[in-house]
Amino acid sequence: MSAGPHRGEESGITGEAIRDSNLEDLVACPSCDLLHRRRVLAEGEAARCARCGTVIETRKRGAVDAVILSSVAMAVLLVLALWAPFLSLSGAGVTQRMSLVDAGLALGDGALVPLSLLLIGLTVALPFLRALLHLWALLPPRLGFAALPGAPAAFRAAMNLRPWAMAEIFMIGVAVSVVKLAGLASVEAGPAIYALAGVVVVLAYENALLCRETVWRMVLGEETPEPETPTSDTPPATRETPA
Amino acid sequence: MSAARKDRLVQTDHPDGMTAREAGLAACTECGRLHRLGAETCSRCGARIRDQEVSLQPVWALLITGILAYIPANTWPMLITRTFGRAEPSTIIGGAIDLLSHGSYFVAAVVLVASVVIPIAKFVAIGWLAYAIRSGRVAGQHGRHRLHTVVEFIGRWSMIDVFVVAVLAALVQLGFLARIEPGPAAAPFALSVIFTMLAAQWLDARAIWQAAPAPEAGPAPSTGPAPKA
């Protein structure tokens, strides 16, 4: 483990100073709680924790737009995934076509109800709900209107629901099911499978771009501080902004 | 700094290598805004400020429930296949062995990893992390922090087998010729995954670092800013 060069001796802030300073100038690592002095990022920069390396804040052009657009895409794809045929199974002279809604309804008897609720809930309902919550919290402020009531709570809920939206895991489950059925019947993929595959891709895109701090600023209608004009000591080769 | 600039990553400099907690502050777990210790709700986003020194009891309770649920999940049948009126129950491991015997080695491996290796590794990992926090272990935070991230990321993937059961049961309803029903193990298995996911979430990553020395020769906690308002 190399000695970290980022002790920040130059800052020399004492505990006293911290307690008296403006807390908005400081930021704690969400993973390990180490205090850092906040600093305005330039386009394309990411701030990492000096101790554990967690990304604290990023600044990417259009990060909020990306979340809004992928939420719209996700909602459309999920509606498709819900009602379009999902898999069709033919064997012994019978063909069965199934959509996720059918799956939910077909599992109507007794013990299967919780299972079908879990299936629809984790694969479709939760991702759909997250998309709606994102739009509720982000769309009005992005378009220049006042935030809707409950916007912070909506965005909080969307963030907390993230691990429970399991479309991608469901896709793997489908693949395993198809292999298991190989001996019994022939299985064909329907359009809903492709819609769900799209959901997985959109989700990954959104996760890659989502910066909590940036989005919170949009939700709460706070200004994103502009970086000062790049200082002359920055090597020009590493600057992204075109002249 | 210019080396850090090249890959467009910036390490913010940190004053004295002190945690927010040591400085008498608490960060909102939802939006990140810092508050003086003792604040109850976040002045920025309205969330409740969660104390990182939350007791480990819920973690242990959720973990033990997850482990207990995992036992019937493996001993009871997960799937019941009825062909021509003959019922054939199979457990999770039995299903994987079936796949092996049909030559689907890769899929069998996926099922085994998702349903057996990951859950058991997760039980051990969460137990170890909670134990290390409780006993205030000083070394190895980096490794344990990574372990925590991995556990949170990978735990969800155990759900694969539950989805397999649901899809098969919904799809295979070919009258009396063939019918697949979920077995009694499906519910405890799903619950086991859910409980351990909750246990991992409850375990606050910041607690892993509480006993850590500040990077390099930062001030020892005792000489740090002890006074609390």
Side-chain angles (χ1 to χ4, degrees):
Chain A
M1 209 173 289
S2 67
H6 298 284
R7 253 204 65 213
E9 297 89 335
E10 70 278 7
S11 63
I13 292 190
T14 64
E16 292 294 316
I18 286 173
R19 284 189 300 119
D20 299 334
S21 69
N22 189 355
L23 294 186
E24 283 165 39
D25 297 337
L26 298 171
V27 60
C29 169
S31 288
C32 80
D33 207 37
L34 193 70
L35 268 184
H36 299 76
R37 180 176 287 141
R38 195 187 283 286
R39 110 139 179 244
V40 178
L41 299 179
E43 197 70 45
E45 276 187 334
R48 283 172 181 270
C49 172
R51 174 160 71 174
C52 72
T54 301
V55 174
I56 297 176
E57 193 181 333
T58 59
R59 189 190 178 100
K60 292 186 197 105
R61 204 186 301 277
V64 170
D65 292 1
V67 176
I68 290 175
L69 290 178
S70 46
S71 296
V72 173
M74 196 108 80
V76 173
L77 287 171
L78 285 167
V79 169
L80 263 177
L82 202 52
W83 272 282
F86 182 72
L87 285 174
S88 68
L89 177 78
S90 40
V94 192
T95 298
Q96 271 192 332
R97 200 168 276 130
M98 182 193 84
S99 73
L100 278 174
V101 172
D102 296 338
L105 296 178
L107 296 175
D109 50 350
L112 302 188
V113 173
L115 194 62
S116 63
L117 285 181
L118 194 71
L119 173 79
I120 302 281
L122 295 181
T123 57
V124 182
L126 277 186
F128 191 75
L129 180 65
R130 283 194 68 225
L132 292 186
L133 289 170
H134 276 156
L135 293 177
W136 181 271
L138 284 170
L139 199 52
R142 177 65 185 86
L143 297 177
F145 298 109
L148 294 172
F155 185 64
R156 254 196 334 256
M159 292 294 275
N160 289 331
L161 285 175
R162 188 142 70 151
W164 301 96
M166 299 192 180
E168 73 275 33
I169 296 167
F170 179 66
M171 290 299 291
I172 305 291
V174 170
V176 172
S177 310
V178 168
V179 172
K180 280 203 164 193
L181 282 172
L184 195 66
S186 68
V187 185
E188 258 173 64
I193 290 269
Y194 300 107
L196 267 180
V199 168
V200 175
V201 173
V202 172
L203 207 63
Y205 171 70
E206 186 194 88
N207 280 347
L209 275 175
L210 197 134
C211 162
R212 190 175 71 161
E213 182 59 32
T214 309
V215 177
W216 268 117
R217 281 196 200 119
M218 176 57 76
V219 172
L220 299 170
E222 295 169 356
E223 294 277 313
T224 300
E226 282 306 312
E228 290 161 27
T229 37
T231 43
S232 49
D233 60 33
T234 314
T238 62
R239 285 220 304 272
E240 248 203 339
T241 24
Chain B
M1 270 290 156
S2 65
R5 285 233 160 192
K6 205 163 277 172
D7 58 351
R8 291 194 266 112
L9 295 177
V10 174
Q11 293 200 321
T12 17
D13 53 4
H14 57 84
D16 289 354
M18 201 190 301
T19 64
R21 190 186 167 72
E22 285 161 359
L25 305 173
C28 170
T29 41
E30 304 289 341
C31 77
R33 167 61 51 87
L34 282 165
H35 297 274
R36 315 269 170 205
L37 267 182
E40 297 214 328
T41 50
C42 177
S43 62
R44 186 191 193 194
C45 73
R48 205 168 56 80
I49 305 278
R50 207 173 113 187
D51 184 12
Q52 59 178 294
E53 215 177 8
V54 70
S55 109
L56 285 173
Q57 257 179 25
V59 177
W60 288 117
L62 290 165
L63 177 64
I64 290 167
T65 316
I67 294 174
L68 288 181
Y70 191 67
I71 297 168
N74 270 278
T75 51
W76 294 351
M78 189 80 171
L79 265 184
I80 300 167
T81 314
R82 291 181 200 279
T83 35
F84 304 103
R86 203 159 44 92
E88 231 181 281
S90 67
T91 58
I92 292 175
I93 295 184
I97 292 173
D98 272 357
L99 281 169
L100 275 180
S101 65
H102 289 115
S104 314
Y105 301 113
F106 178 70
V107 178
V110 169
V111 171
L112 276 180
V113 168
S115 315
V116 181
V117 178
I118 291 180
I120 291 178
K122 201 164 58 163
F123 297 146
V124 175
I126 295 175
W128 161 239
L129 290 172
Y131 169 77
I133 289 170
R134 205 188 59 134
S135 60
R137 269 185 87 85
V138 186
Q141 270 83 8
H142 282 280
R144 276 183 280 127
H145 183 208
R146 208 166 307 135
L147 184 63
H148 183 255
T149 314
V150 169
V151 164
E152 270 205 311
F153 170 78
I154 228 166
R156 320 153 61 229
W157 286 91
S158 297
M159 272 297 186
I160 288 179
D161 229 40
V162 175
F163 289 142
V164 169
V165 171
V167 169
L168 289 180
L171 197 56
V172 184
Q173 311 268 349
L174 299 176
F176 58 90
L177 288 180
R179 207 179 146 78
I180 292 182
E181 292 163 13
F189 188 84
L191 288 176
S192 174
V193 177
I194 289 171
F195 280 122
T196 42
M197 277 178 71
L198 289 171
Q201 276 179 18
W202 205 284
L203 201 74
D204 195 325
R206 296 173 301 175
I208 294 175
W209 291 89
Q210 252 175 36
E216 283 216 333
S222 54
T223 63
K228 277 180 191 155

